[in-house]
Amino acid sequence: MKSDSSIRMMAYAAMFAALIAAGAFLAIPIGVVPIVLQNLFVFLAGLLLGKRWGLWSVAIYLLTGAVGLPVFAGGAGGIARFAGPTGGYLIGYLPAVWLIGWISESTRKTPFFQVAAMVAGSVVVYACGVSWLKVVTHMNWPKAMAAGCYPFLPGDALKIAAAIPITKALRGIVRK
Amino acid sequence: MFSEYAPLKPFASRMDARVKMLCMMLFSVAVIAGNLPILVILSGVCLLLWGLIRIQIRHVIRSLICLGMMLGVIFATRSLTLSVSWPLALSWDAAGAVDGLIACWRLVLLMFFGLLWMVVTSHSDIRAAVAWLCKPLPGVPEKRVATMMSLTLRFLPLLMDQAATTSEAQQARCIQNRKNPVYRFTKFSLPLLRRTMETADHLADAMESRCYSENYRMKNN
């Protein structure tokens, strides 16, 4: 029997939406600062599902939060979170996952291109997030970068490094 | 915290999910945009609703522990200032502390309203309400969106359980003695993702074998 790939991809995208939501609560304690896994799951959604279904997974996650369900960081939800200081990061996940998926689909599946895709995605997330943070909090650029970007870069580098072996191991499991 | 639907009080459970969803959206806007008196009023409304629905506090303790860590970070970043010139020094800012307290208050209120909405609304009602919300949007397949959101809500408690199991298994293997953070990330995420993808596969097979179609009737349609 021919398998309906759209149902399977829909299930995967829903699962990644749940992973992104759960990622806000799942933390690996490294040193004194626990590093949450949300970004990692956004990267993996783009790399494993591609641009279309990766975008679906992030869109479903954002919609779930927008209607008020407690899936955003700290157990908060509601449409007004998009207008808050972290709203730019949330919106930034959409172009980021699309970009990661697009780079991943249109290049060879080598670690170099995967790292490039995730770095590009991170740049998009921080561009949206820090710009919005600056607008909402009326900070200047250096302060906005210090509050909303620099402290998270080492964690992001670790997540990108971890995403490579995870993608390699899971690519065979995802049946597109 | 994600699977605690409990139809404890008929009035709350029977209310149309669309009304509850719109109320929740309005509440969230009021919580974020409101000033101090509005926050006081909303806190009163929240306490009243929690009292009326009589949810046992043990249902929210775990959520509060997760939230507590985040609130601590938010409060610290708002109330402490790090001087950028040498020597580096931390200083306490009273206005920032008040600002931090209000930010934490808003977050707690959002969490409580969100939990309340989840506790008194079944997943099928949430799905139907989302389909209704998305219907006027051009180019949005509302039934697919609603089904995916419903699946996401089903996956969430499962994922949290699997994450806890994976974490316990890793601790039993003394993962805390490993200093390499990439190794720890990988050893935690890989089994978790592998298991959840298998679950998603089984779910897709089950949907396919039951001839799943987006053209089915939902509540409110």
Side-chain angles (χ1 to χ4, degrees):
Chain A
M1 192 177 81
K2 188 179 177 295
S3 174
D4 187 346
S5 67
S6 74
I7 294 179
R8 194 165 303 283
M9 291 311 288
M10 199 170 85
Y12 286 149
M15 187 203 74
F16 265 98
L19 275 167
I20 295 166
F25 302 92
L26 301 177
I28 305 283
I30 293 164
V32 290
V33 183
I35 299 178
V36 294
L37 299 179
Q38 196 164 33
N39 284 25
L40 175 68
F41 294 135
V42 173
F43 296 157
L44 290 173
L47 290 175
L48 291 169
L49 304 183
K51 60 178 189 288
R52 183 180 173 216
W53 288 104
L55 192 68
W56 265 107
S57 65
V58 172
I60 292 295
Y61 164 67
L62 295 179
L63 184 69
T64 308
V67 298
L69 298 169
V71 294
F72 292 152
I79 199 161
R81 290 287 287 176
F82 295 105
T86 55
Y89 296 96
L90 293 173
I91 294 294
Y93 284 154
L94 282 171
V97 77
W98 187 89
L99 186 65
I100 293 169
W102 179 74
I103 295 174
S104 169
E105 282 173 349
S106 53
T107 56
R108 282 182 293 144
K109 310 278 185 277
T110 59
F112 173 77
F113 286 114
Q114 288 172 356
V115 170
M118 287 185 279
V119 170
S122 300
V123 169
V124 171
V125 171
Y126 285 116
C128 297
V130 177
S131 310
W132 187 244
L133 182 72
K134 180 185 174 296
V135 170
V136 172
T137 57
H138 308 293
M139 285 192 265
N140 55 24
W141 278 110
K143 271 199 164 184
M145 291 295 285
C149 179
Y150 299 143
F152 307 108
L153 292 180
D156 282 353
L158 292 178
K159 288 172 204 170
I160 288 173
I164 300 295
I166 295 171
T167 311
K168 193 179 170 190
L170 292 179
R171 211 180 273 284
I173 297 175
V174 178
R175 290 190 276 156
K176 288 190 184 179
Chain B
M1 79 182 259
F2 297 111
S3 61
E4 305 291 357
Y5 171 61
L8 300 168
K9 283 283 170 181
F11 81 92
S13 297
R14 282 186 198 156
M15 191 193 282
D16 194 314
R18 291 170 292 185
V19 176
K20 284 187 269 190
M21 185 171 66
L22 292 176
C23 286
M24 182 59 215
M25 287 173 154
L26 285 175
F27 273 133
S28 80
V29 172
V31 166
I32 293 291
N35 53 15
L36 211 56
I38 290 177
L39 286 182
V40 173
I41 293 167
L42 287 174
S43 304
V45 171
C46 188
L47 284 174
L48 185 74
L49 288 172
W50 274 84
L52 280 173
I53 291 164
R54 290 183 187 163
I55 299 164
Q56 291 179 353
I57 197 70
R58 67 185 168 85
H59 285 294
V60 287
I61 291 291
R62 273 177 62 189
S63 315
L64 287 175
I65 293 168
C66 289
L67 186 66
M69 283 165 51
M70 187 169 173
L71 293 180
V73 172
I74 290 173
F75 183 71
T77 51
R78 300 255 179 154
S79 57
L80 297 174
T81 312
L82 181 68
S83 69
V84 285
S85 57
W86 193 259
L88 295 174
L90 273 176
S91 58
W92 171 264
D93 177 17
V98 173
D99 194 33
L101 274 178
I102 292 175
C104 294
W105 189 359
R106 289 185 206 278
L107 206 61
V108 170
L109 273 178
L110 278 180
M111 193 205 75
F112 271 90
F113 277 124
L115 283 178
L116 197 67
W117 150 230
M118 265 196 111
V119 164
V120 297
T121 316
S122 68
H123 288 175
S124 58
D125 285 339
I126 293 174
R127 185 177 62 182
V130 168
W132 171 81
L133 184 76
C134 293
K135 207 170 184 176
L137 302 175
V140 177
E142 77 273 6
K143 285 178 180 169
R144 178 184 288 182
V145 170
T147 304
M148 286 179 76
M149 186 184 280
S150 181
L151 291 179
T152 301
L153 293 175
R154 299 271 178 208
F155 275 130
L156 264 169
L158 191 76
L159 276 174
M160 297 308 272
D161 286 346
Q162 285 183 346
T165 310
T166 309
S167 180
E168 281 168 15
Q170 298 300 331
Q171 280 171 19
R173 290 164 177 78
C174 300
I175 191 81
Q176 60 275 18
N177 294 340
R178 292 279 191 157
K179 298 296 174 206
N180 183 349
V182 176
Y183 179 88
R184 290 178 67 170
F185 265 125
T186 313
K187 291 296 171 190
F188 176 78
S189 307
L190 202 50
L192 175 69
L193 281 161
R194 198 170 268 157
R195 273 196 213 136
T196 48
M197 293 197 103
E198 279 169 11
T199 311
D201 263 336
H202 293 156
L203 183 87
D205 288 340
M207 286 168 78
E208 231 178 299
S209 62
R210 285 162 180 78
C211 303
Y212 165 79
S213 159
E214 285 178 4
N215 300 319
Y216 62 94
R217 259 179 79 83
M218 279 191 288
K219 287 183 182 179
N220 302 336
N221 279 358

